[in-house]
Amino acid sequence: MKPATLKEIAATLGLSISTVSKALKDYPDVSNKTKKLVKELAETLNYRPNAFAVNLRTKESKTIGLVIPEVVHHFFSSVIKGIISEAEDKGYLVIILQSNESFELEKKQIELLANKQVDGILISLANGTYDFSHIKAVMNQGIPLVMFDKIAKIVDCSKVIIDDQKAAFDATQHLIDTGCKRIAHFRGPLTPQNSIDRFLGYKKALLHNQIPYDPSLVYILDSMSFEEGQHFTKELLKDHDDIDGIFINTDLVAIGSITELNKRNIKIPEQISIIGFSNWFMSSVISPSLSTVNQPGYLMGKKSFKLLYKEIKKRKEGKKINYKNIELKTDIILRDSTKKL
Amino acid sequence: MKPATLKEIAATLGLSISTVSKALKDYPDVSNKTKKLVKELAETLNYRPNAFAVNLRTKESKTIGLVIPEVVHHFFSSVIKGIISEAEDKGYLVIILQSNESFELEKKQIELLANKQVDGILISLANGTYDFSHIKAVMNQGIPLVMFDKIAKIVDCSKVIIDDQKAAFDATQHLIDTGCKRIAHFRGPLTPQNSIDRFLGYKKALLHNQIPYDPSLVYILDSMSFEEGQHFTKELLKDHDDIDGIFINTDLVAIGSITELNKRNIKIPEQISIIGFSNWFMSSVISPSLSTVNQPGYLMGKKSFKLLYKEIKKRKEGKKINYKNIELKTDIILRDSTKKL
């Protein structure tokens, strides 16, 4: 049965459409008797207010957009889960778009969400994004926007992040504390803020411990894949025979590296220690299990939505929005790919 | 700058609102000169048609809803990726809701999407779902709906599935072909169709090879987690000391089982062979790597959206929808957790 329309309810009861509409909205100028009658029939006939008309009236879509580089990714899917669970709590729906790390796609998607008149946008930037005018454009149109994880420092908006530099410092320091002296770094591409910060943390830890920084030990990765982990491990072993530790930008790459070292019977952590970043589920089940930085994806998703929700409310009330920066704590998870202290 | 309204464009040009509106829609009764003028100003002022008003007029939201049991899950996130990539191609947006395997939540979410007037719904049922009136209700309201992966046989709608029974038969047959004689099965809960079918495939393969079916070798799991994989492996070893193979309903559980067997120094596959189901990425990187059934998630997502899209179009054209059943091929991925043929 198709849901009944206002017109059908009005015709059945011999009332005007506007009386039926007012009755459903509890207007004071409709008698209680009529209200009861209308509401009962509306329920029986499965009446449902037209969502588009409601949106037009309230100027609210109760929908937000989420632009994320990649869905099949343990960290990002944890973030998505955090966002949709929090959004559901507040009666919001979430449209998810995947930028595939492409700047062009991300621009198109932001424009699409603005045209769709979502109430707000959450975004983690693509690696390819080097210009932020698309972000500024939607913000200038009054759409609340919160960045998380992969952010742009120069864009003035609310952000939910971790302290990548500190986390990377701690990870590198752990390698040093457990005896590593020649430490390589597999870093991400040059533009994303988080790969810059993780590199800076690595460098800072070396200098802090009077270990000279050697640029030839830093490998710049592109796709951050399992295969790149294997490939750059081969390169590293070719280039340097004195390596005793690697700090790797993300767990997936670290798992590729461990697979390659295992294949060559290089003992982890005795000959080479490995520490990753993210704490993917699989990092705990590979052999040897991977020491890593725990990055709280689910919590980041929840906090990001909460922040956006506050901005949406403030905007509705016509209040000024003060941008916030939330920094979530990380910690080092010690497993078997690094030596014991 | 906030986008301009029709009213502002009209005021600037000294035209009526309806002339501006007609000019933007290329009505024949507006001169080309006026159209050019209006369109140029609209672009300069960043005019954007009100999405809610457009929706009200076209009765299309260009949005579909997706209800899925779990987001942080390699198979389902691959499905999501397939769906959103195909939807983007066709200019559709996807709202994603996670049922957490709960019947109650799933019902609420289906109702929410119907209220939101999405153009169609894709759903993989929660393990908890035992009644399908919520599905039938939205279909009766004329909303196209396609089920994928976790479906209900008794609901008459389009479906995209794999042949779970055949895939499970093939997996069990591989254990038998490589010499296993006492084969246990870790199955999923009792209601979901796919866990029923995988169990039936297991049983059929035993009977086909004149191996007596022993119900005490079948363990019914609930959450299908890594921890359950460890737990039921312990139980199995306590209950039976003559097991030489296990067919496990999903890779994550199989990885739990491998972890437990490794811990006890039970040799895989020499003492016990393991075969999983899904082909998660991590199955290829654990030690020993896991033989498994390859379940094509990304393709399933793409096919599901395509099918839904066809139904949305047919509905718009007022044509009859004929439900389709698409069955995707699976294959066995042979790795190191089973013996060589």
Side-chain angles (χ1 to χ4, degrees), chain B residues 320-335:
Chain B
K320 195 181 169 321
I321 295 170
N322 294 313
Y323 299 135
K324 263 196 171 176
N325 236 326
I326 297 182
E327 207 174 83
L328 302 178
K329 273 201 186 139
T330 55
D331 48 340
I332 305 277
I333 308 285
L334 298 181
R335 299 206 184 93

Side-chain angles (χ1 to χ4, degrees), chain A residues 67-283:
Chain A
V67 181
I68 205 158
E70 169 70 53
V71 169
V72 188
H73 186 291
H74 186 80
F75 173 70
F76 284 131
S77 58
S78 304
V79 174
I80 293 175
K81 187 172 173 166
I83 290 170
I84 62 180
S85 95
E86 197 63 34
E88 182 144 10
D89 254 24
K90 298 279 192 297
Y92 275 76
L93 293 173
V94 184
I95 289 170
I96 303 183
L97 292 163
Q98 172 170 310
S99 68
N100 290 333
E101 305 283 8
S102 149
F103 176 40
E104 289 309 316
L105 209 51
E106 179 183 292
K107 271 202 295 193
K108 219 186 90 188
Q109 292 169 338
I110 288 283
E111 176 71 9
L112 196 64
L113 290 171
N115 280 333
K116 190 81 190 169
Q117 293 171 10
V118 292
D119 293 341
I121 293 175
L122 293 174
I123 184 168
S124 182
L125 297 171
N127 280 343
T129 300
Y130 54 85
D131 173 281
F132 310 103
S133 45
H134 59 307
I135 305 286
K136 287 173 195 159
V138 291
M139 292 184 67
N140 285 341
Q141 286 162 33
I143 302 176
L145 180 144
V146 172
M147 287 188 180
F148 64 90
D149 189 47
K150 288 161 68 180
I151 57 131
K153 280 199 175 152
I154 63 161
V155 178
D156 196 22
C157 68
S158 287
K159 289 156 197 160
V160 182
I161 49 165
I162 55 166
D163 187 340
D164 281 286
Q165 202 175 124
K166 183 185 172 294
F169 181 97
D170 292 346
T172 312
Q173 184 66 49
H174 176 69
L175 291 176
I176 298 168
D177 289 344
T178 52
C180 298
K181 288 178 172 43
R182 279 287 277 174
I183 301 170
H185 176 36
F186 288 179
R187 62 164 288 171
L190 294 173
T191 29
Q193 192 62 51
N194 65 356
S195 84
I196 295 171
D197 285 335
R198 291 177 198 175
F199 163 69
L200 292 175
Y202 155 79
K203 198 169 160 187
K204 213 164 150 187
L206 297 181
L207 300 177
H208 182 75
N209 291 277
Q210 289 84 42
I211 297 176
Y213 164 63
D214 175 356
S216 77
L217 294 179
V218 177
Y219 291 76
I220 302 171
L221 277 61
D222 177 34
S223 65
M224 312 293 289
S225 61
F226 177 78
E227 288 76 19
E228 277 198 340
Q230 295 181 296
H231 170 75
F232 283 97
T233 302
K234 280 183 214 159
E235 293 297 303
L236 175 67
L237 295 172
K238 244 189 281 172
D239 299 344
H240 302 274
D241 56 8
D242 54 349
I243 289 301
D244 55 14
I246 321 177
F247 164 49
I248 300 183
N249 190 295
T250 189
D251 279 13
L252 183 56
V253 175
I255 290 169
S257 183
I258 287 180
T259 305
E260 187 60 32
L261 294 172
N262 281 342
K263 208 193 290 177
R264 292 167 180 247
N265 291 316
I266 293 173
K267 287 214 167 64
I268 309 168
E270 293 78 4
Q271 292 170 267
I272 298 182
S273 298
I274 307 276
I275 192 158
F277 203 111
S278 291
N279 196 26
W280 288 35
F281 168 75
M282 62 183 148
S283 307

Side-chain angles (χ1 to χ4, degrees), chain A residues 142-145 158 307 310-316 318-324:
Chain A
I143 302 176
L145 180 144
S158 287
L307 204 50
K310 275 188 195 159
E311 297 198 355
I312 291 171
K313 263 182 68 182
K314 281 211 167 160
R315 187 200 175 198
K316 217 172 114 188
K319 288 186 190 155
K320 195 182 168 322
I321 295 170
N322 294 314
Y323 300 136
K324 264 198 171 173

Side-chain angles (χ1 to χ4, degrees), chain B residues 182-184 202-203 206 211-218 240 242:
Chain B
R182 280 289 276 176
I183 302 170
Y202 155 79
K203 198 170 161 186
L206 297 182
I211 297 176
Y213 165 64
D214 176 355
S216 77
L217 294 179
V218 176
H240 302 275
D242 54 350

